[in-house]
């Protein structure tokens, strides 16, 4: 009996071992499934984190452009209000109107600062990181805006307009930095399917800022209505409050700017440059010590493999040479060397000249919207009518023009830029603007005499095609077509060319608008705008289409 039992025990033990062996694959399968599930959860978590970072970047950059546009376009209404404060006692046509030299000084102040900020902060963004410089610009805007709102006459020396100019130039430097930095941050966070839409949407906040400048002015004017009607000098509070309000959006979004991480693309570019620098600066002794090791390895068999497969050895050598060339390109190729090649330079010229062309017209009209509103008789008489009524109707007219033309143009650009592409929108926009400016310029008085409605329709169509056209694409394109290591710098140069156009329009062209009488030269200026937009049409062909391509693909094709 015990013998039988002893015979059964080995069999039982063997079956147990076999059963355990069979369970091992099942356990491994379960572990693999658990690991896969954990990996999927991690991927979902990473995707959500990426989406949140992209949304946060969009909102922060959008808030920056809202504040920037508010500060740029509020100068139009601020100058009008200051006319009542500082020139109320003047006589004849100069009463309640800021002289042209001071009006121009205030209106070009932010543009001048923008030009400097785009060049300086754009370069710093490539060198030290986008988000840090982006935050620095916001702090400068907040401090300078508050300082500008307290501008006043000196007992001796500079008047209020000079001090306001100085402060607004500082404001402009911070505002200017937002152009290349907001564009590159948004571009590098987004994927190729939504990059153009997100960048266009960020820029569309400019339209909201423009409208908000007039809305805030109307609200503040309403708060002081009775005081203004009893004492016109109460308007001194109004322009300061309207200007100071521009610091609030930047202050609200400052925390999010300070805590925003760099994009993965910029981090990778920085890492590659560091590795390339280290690889190129390895001591020569290391390579000398490596040679005997290679020889020794060859004697023990590696050399036999190499001789047996010379093609493999050749490929290894070509790969090493390629890696060294890439390293040298990343570390040694300077901005001037890269853009010293015509195929790269023509793209930079294309983005810069196109932006210059559109901004001559865009700012020439938008910084002087009161001229257009006055032309259709909507604003009233500055010298005779109630200041509250004149200022309110000017602000209301600006809101109407923007809601009819500019805002719809921004919306159409946002929702079609990924379907139509950058180049078709910009070409069609420049072509439409050229035709519209020719019609308005050469038929200016005939249209006004025949119908104010017809004039408004043509003018709002021009506003529409500025934004559903080159005003948006000129911002989007430079954030895509240039390599990561030069992207903010090149975008800053393109944007600075645009601001140069704004300064040319305001300080140069619009300064002669009264030649032959008040606003008598306006029709000829619009004809000149048509010439600039026609130039923008042709230089657009120098810029490659970027729709549906990753930033890496665009860089490789360059």
């Amino acid at each position: 009996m015990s013998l039988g039992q002893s015979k059964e025990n080995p069999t039982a033990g063997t079956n147990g071992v076999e059963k355990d062996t069979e369970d091992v694959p099942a356990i491994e399968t379960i572990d693999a499934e658990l690991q896969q599930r954990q990996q999927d959860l991690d991927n979902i978590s990473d995707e959500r984190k990426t989406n949140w970072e992209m949304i946060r970047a969009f909102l922060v950059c959008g808030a920056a452009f809202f504040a920037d546009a508010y500060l740029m376009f509020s100068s139009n209404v601020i100058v009008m209000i200051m006319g009542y404060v500082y020139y109320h006692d003047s006589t004849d046509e100069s009463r309640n109107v800021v002289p042209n030299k001071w009006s121009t000084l205030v209106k070009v102040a932010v543009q001048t600062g923008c030009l400097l900020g785009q060049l300086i902060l754009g370069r710093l963004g490539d060198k030290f990181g986008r988000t840090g410089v982006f935050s620095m610009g916001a702090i400068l805007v907040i401090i300078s805006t508050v300082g500008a709102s307290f501008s006043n006459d000196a007992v001796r020396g500079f008047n209020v307009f000079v001090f306001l100019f100085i402060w607004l130039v500082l404001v402009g430097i911070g505002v200017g930095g937002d152009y290349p930095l907001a564009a590159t941050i948004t571009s590098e966070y987004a994927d190729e399917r939504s990059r153009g839409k997100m960048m266009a949407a960020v820029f569309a906040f400019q339209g909201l800022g423009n409208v908000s400048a007039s809305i805030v002015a109307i609200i503040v004017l309403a708060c002081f209505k009775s005081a203004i009607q009893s004492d016109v000098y109460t308007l001194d509070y109004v322009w300061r409050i309207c200007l100071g309000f521009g610091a609030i959006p930047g202050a609200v979004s400052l925390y999010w700017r300070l805590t925003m991480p760099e994009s993965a693309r910029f981090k990778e570019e920085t890492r590659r440059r560091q590795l390339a620098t280290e690889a190129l600066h390895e001591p020569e002794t290391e390579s000398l010590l490596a040679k005997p090791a290679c020889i020794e390895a060859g004697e023990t068999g590696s050399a036999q493999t190499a001789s047996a497969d010379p093609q493999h050895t050749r490929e290894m050598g070509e790969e090493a040479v390629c890696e060294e060339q890439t390293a040298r390109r990343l570390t040694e190729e300077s901005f001037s060397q890269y853009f010293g090649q015509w195929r790269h330079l023509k793209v930079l010229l294309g983005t810069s000249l196109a932006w210059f062309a559109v901004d001559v017209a865009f700012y020439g009209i938008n910084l002087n919207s009161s001229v257009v509103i006055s032309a259709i008789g909507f604003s009233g008489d500055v010298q005779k009518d109630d200041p509250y009524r004149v200022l309110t109707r000017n602000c209301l007219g600006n809101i109407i023009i923007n809601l009819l033309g500019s805002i719809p143009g921004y919306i159409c650009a946002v929702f079609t830029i990924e379907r139509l592409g950058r180049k078709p929108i910009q070409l069609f926009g420049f072509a439409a603007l050229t035709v519209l400016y020719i019609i308005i310029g050469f038929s200016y008085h005939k249209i006004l005499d025949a119908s104010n409605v017809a004039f408004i329709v043509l003018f709002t169509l021009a506003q529409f095609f500025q934004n559903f056209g080159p005003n948006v694409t000129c911002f989007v394109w430079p954030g895509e077509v240039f390599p990561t290591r030069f992207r903010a710098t090149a975008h800053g140069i393109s944007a600075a060319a645009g601001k140069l156009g704004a300064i040319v329009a305001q300080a140069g062209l619009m300064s002669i608008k009264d030649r032959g009488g008040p606003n008598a030269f306006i029709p000829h200026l619009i004809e000149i705008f048509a010439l600039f937009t026609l130039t923008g049409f042709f230089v657009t062909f120098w810029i490659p289409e970027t729709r549906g391509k990753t930033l890496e693909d665009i860089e490789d094709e360059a």
Side-chain angles (χ1 to χ4, degrees), residues 412-431:
C412 288
V414 170
F415 287 102
T416 60
I417 194 167
E418 293 297 358
R419 295 181 182 180
L420 301 178
R422 287 65 164 155
K423 184 172 286 188
I425 290 177
Q426 182 157 308
L427 286 172
F428 187 76
F430 270 131

Side-chain angles (χ1 to χ4, degrees), residues 38-115:
Q38 184 62 43
Q39 183 64 40
D40 292 340
L41 291 172
D42 292 341
N43 291 338
I44 292 172
S45 177
D46 291 342
E47 185 177 353
R48 287 177 178 174
K49 182 180 178 182
T50 301
N51 289 338
W52 162 241
E53 289 178 347
M54 187 167 62
I55 292 170
R56 183 172 69 168
F58 165 73
L59 292 175
V60 171
C61 294
F65 262 85
F66 175 87
D68 296 347
Y70 179 94
L71 291 166
M72 281 191 290
F73 296 109
S74 63
S75 62
N76 190 36
V77 66
I78 286 172
V79 167
M80 287 191 65
I81 296 172
M82 293 178 76
Y84 285 99
V85 176
Y86 295 97
Y87 293 93
H88 184 63
D89 296 330
S90 300
T91 57
D92 301 326
E93 292 181 354
S94 61
R95 185 169 185 261
N96 298 330
V97 178
V98 175
N100 193 49
K101 64 176 181 179
W102 300 123
S103 172
T104 301
L105 191 70
V106 173
K107 290 180 179 179
V108 302
V110 175
Q111 310 304 325
T112 303
C114 274
L115 190 153

Side-chain angles (χ1 to χ4, degrees), residues 129-179:
R130 283 76 158 106
T131 57
V133 180
F134 193 44
S135 301
M136 182 177 68
I139 295 170
L140 180 60
V141 169
I142 294 167
I143 296 172
S144 302
T145 301
V146 173
S149 65
F150 286 97
S151 298
N152 215 329
D153 289 328
V155 176
R156 290 187 179 89
F158 295 150
N159 64 13
V160 62
F161 297 101
V162 175
F163 284 112
L164 188 59
F165 171 81
I166 294 170
W167 280 114
L168 289 180
V169 168
L170 295 176
V171 169
I173 292 174
V175 168
D178 287 345
Y179 277 74

Side-chain angles (χ1 to χ4, degrees), residues 4-327:
Q5 290 174 350
S6 65
K7 288 181 179 180
E8 290 174 1
N9 287 337
T11 307
T14 304
N15 290 337
V17 172
E18 290 177 356
K19 184 177 181 181
D20 292 341
T21 306
E22 292 173 357
D23 288 343
V24 170
I27 293 171
E28 291 178 350
T29 302
I30 293 172
D31 289 343
E33 291 177 354
L34 289 173
Q35 290 176 358
Q36 184 61 42
R37 289 180 183 178
Q38 184 62 43
Q39 183 64 40
D40 292 340
L41 291 172
D42 292 341
N43 291 338
I44 292 172
S45 177
D46 291 342
E47 185 177 353
R48 287 177 178 174
K49 182 180 178 182
T50 301
N51 289 338
W52 162 241
E53 289 178 347
M54 187 167 62
I55 292 170
R56 183 172 69 168
F58 165 73
L59 292 175
V60 171
C61 294
F65 262 85
F66 175 87
D68 296 347
Y70 179 94
L71 291 166
M72 281 191 290
F73 296 109
S74 63
S75 62
N76 190 36
V77 66
I78 286 172
V79 167
M80 287 191 65
I81 296 172
M82 293 178 76
Y84 285 99
V85 176
Y86 295 97
Y87 293 93
H88 184 63
D89 296 330
S90 300
T91 57
D92 301 326
E93 292 181 354
S94 61
R95 185 169 185 261
N96 298 330
V97 178
V98 175
N100 193 49
K101 64 176 181 179
W102 300 123
S103 172
T104 301
L105 191 70
V106 173
K107 290 180 179 179
V108 302
V110 175
Q111 310 304 325
T112 303
C114 274
L115 190 153
L116 297 174
Q118 286 158 347
L119 293 173
I120 297 170
L121 299 188
R123 180 68 190 104
L124 294 178
D126 279 336
K127 191 172 182 63
F128 299 109
R130 283 76 158 106
T131 57
V133 180
F134 193 44
S135 301
M136 182 177 68
I139 295 170
L140 180 60
V141 169
I142 294 167
I143 296 172
S144 302
T145 301
V146 173
S149 65
F150 286 97
S151 298
N152 215 329
D153 289 328
V155 176
R156 290 187 179 89
F158 295 150
N159 64 13
V160 62
F161 297 101
V162 175
F163 284 112
L164 188 59
F165 171 81
I166 294 170
W167 280 114
L168 289 180
V169 168
L170 295 176
V171 169
I173 292 174
V175 168
D178 287 345
Y179 277 74
L181 298 172
T184 53
I185 288 170
T186 306
S187 174
E188 291 169 0
Y189 264 107
D191 57 36
E192 68 276 10
R193 294 168 297 178
S194 61
R195 185 179 61 241
K197 182 185 292 186
M198 284 190 64
M199 295 179 72
V202 165
F203 194 70
F205 277 86
Q206 185 183 74
L208 298 178
N210 190 348
V211 172
S212 296
S214 295
I215 292 174
V216 170
I218 289 175
I219 293 172
V220 178
L221 284 167
C223 292
F224 287 87
K225 180 178 179 180
S226 59
I228 293 169
Q229 291 173 338
S230 61
D231 181 8
V232 71
Y233 293 107
T234 305
L235 285 169
D236 192 44
Y237 295 106
V238 175
W239 77 262
R240 296 177 191 278
I241 293 172
C242 290
L243 179 56
F245 184 86
I248 295 177
V252 171
S253 63
L254 180 59
Y255 170 78
W256 302 105
R257 288 207 201 195
L258 292 170
T259 57
M260 183 188 298
E262 293 287 357
S263 68
R265 283 188 172 93
F266 184 77
K267 290 178 182 177
E268 176 62 19
E269 178 69 18
T270 303
R271 186 189 67 83
R272 288 174 61 199
R273 289 177 64 85
Q274 289 176 346
L275 291 175
T277 302
E278 292 173 1
L280 286 176
H281 291 85
E282 285 180 353
E284 293 184 2
T285 53
E286 292 186 9
S287 60
L288 292 174
L289 291 172
K291 288 182 179 179
C294 292
I295 296 171
E296 184 179 350
E299 291 175 352
T300 58
S302 298
Q304 294 178 3
T305 304
S307 60
D309 190 1
Q311 180 64 27
H312 177 71
T313 305
R314 192 179 303 111
E315 291 176 356
M316 294 273 293
E318 291 175 355
E319 183 178 350
V321 171
C322 182
E323 290 178 355
E324 183 179 353
Q325 290 175 345
T326 301

